[in-house]
Amino acid sequence: MNLCLFLLLTSVADLHYLQANLIAIAAASVINFGMSASWTWRARPSFVSASIPESGWAPQPPVKRIVVIPTYNESANIRRLLERILSLGRDYEALVVDDSSPDGTGEIVAALAASDPRIHMIRRCAKMGLASAYTDGFRMALKMGADLIYQMDSDFSHDPDDLRRLGEAATASNVVIGSRYVAGGATPGWPLHRRLVSQIANQSARVLLGIPLHDVTGGFKCWSRRALAGLPLDSIRSTGFAFQVEMNYLAWRSGFPLVEVPITFEDRKAGRSKASLSIGIEMAAVVCRLFLNPSWPGQRRTARQSAP
Ligand SMILES: Nc1nc2c(ncn2[C@@H]2O[C@H](COP(=O)(O)OP(=O)(O)OP(=O)(O)O)[C@@H](O)[C@H]2O)c(=O)[nH]1
Ligand SMILES: [Mg+2]
């Protein structure tokens, strides 16, 4: 497997030998370890049927929808993004969680919020990572009385128009994931090596943790109030993008059915990505931690008991 991957990466993706070899070794090890573990010596995690909440959700209009958007240096995108979200309807509100972006993103949002009561902001004093930006935003959205809480990037990788489809699917299920890897989903323009890395991360998380999703690492989601309030957000230990996997894991272990809605993920056109090698390493570490220590706080407190 290692050799095949190595040959594929050097011939098709045109990677340097050293890079190709490292990626091939890592991928082969993870796949090998995952397959051995799940099929030979590890029992699958099991549900406690009493903890599975009803999948249906019957919102009473007007529905309060809050879109939580973490930002760091997104001044090129944020104004247009907020306009697009708010144009979807009066029931949409936006909550930006900005980490004192040096490029003035926070000032733009503050100015817009001064004239539009549907725009809110949490301003944090320094760059503290995606995970805590989201958990702070989720807690605030719940306090504000949101019925549906959406999460999305601010770089137009997630199409604001898809919020409608995610929200519609949330009437049948408490947790809706925008998925690049179900029929109808797409990642146009991605080079082969990026597809490979993304697939390896997804398959590893799926096989090792058993999360029944095609897109475990994506960040475009819609949560019902019931689901989000039922998750032990205080137990999240990720700081970066691994947060997306950890939240899916918590939701699944809480017994919430996870529904995937196809999305097209576009690469950002403006601003700079914050993705880095250390974030990738954290993702691998979080998957290993959850795999090796499948006990988690939600087991002591079922979602049905804790949801308001
Ligand atoms: N508040 C806050 N937001 C962050 C932080 N890191 C990233 N973000 C935001 O999280 C979202 C996703 O980050 P991106 O840089 O687009 O990373 P990505 O989508 O994984 O990578 P690309 O596909 O290369 O864009 C963006 O809206 C960022 O501005 C952070 O430390 N704090
Ligand atoms: Mg992005």
Side-chain angles (χ1 to χ4, degrees), residues 19-67:
Q19 277 179 317
N21 204 7
L22 284 174
I23 294 177
I25 290 170
S29 312
V30 168
I31 292 169
N32 192 359
F33 181 63
M35 286 168 120
S36 320
S38 52
W39 288 327
T40 55
W41 52 263
R42 184 180 187 243
R44 314 294 298 159
S46 58
F47 286 134
V48 181
S49 58
S51 75
I52 299 178
E54 300 109 35
S55 54
W57 174 76
Q60 295 301 315
V63 177
K64 191 172 174 80
R65 305 166 191 273
I66 299 188
V67 186

Side-chain angles (χ1 to χ4, degrees), residues 70 72 74 97 99 127 129 153-155 194 268 273-274:
Y72 191 74
E74 300 288 0
V97 187
D99 281 0
K127 188 172 189 317
D153 290 0
S154 58
D155 55 3
R194 187 156 181 205
R268 67 160 66 235
S273 170
K274 282 98 217 165

Side-chain angles (χ1 to χ4, degrees), residues 54-111:
E54 300 109 35
S55 54
W57 174 76
Q60 295 301 315
V63 177
K64 191 172 174 80
R65 305 166 191 273
I66 299 188
V67 186
V68 179
I69 310 155
T71 56
Y72 191 74
N73 285 347
E74 300 288 0
S75 60
N77 295 308
I78 193 65
R79 182 186 301 273
R80 202 158 52 89
L81 182 73
L82 292 174
E83 282 167 7
R84 289 276 305 277
I85 293 171
L86 298 186
S87 72
L88 294 174
R90 293 294 310 164
D91 46 344
Y92 285 84
E93 298 179 37
L95 171 57
V96 176
V97 187
D98 185 65
D99 281 0
S100 294
S101 300
D103 75 345
T105 305
E107 285 70 32
I108 296 172
V109 179

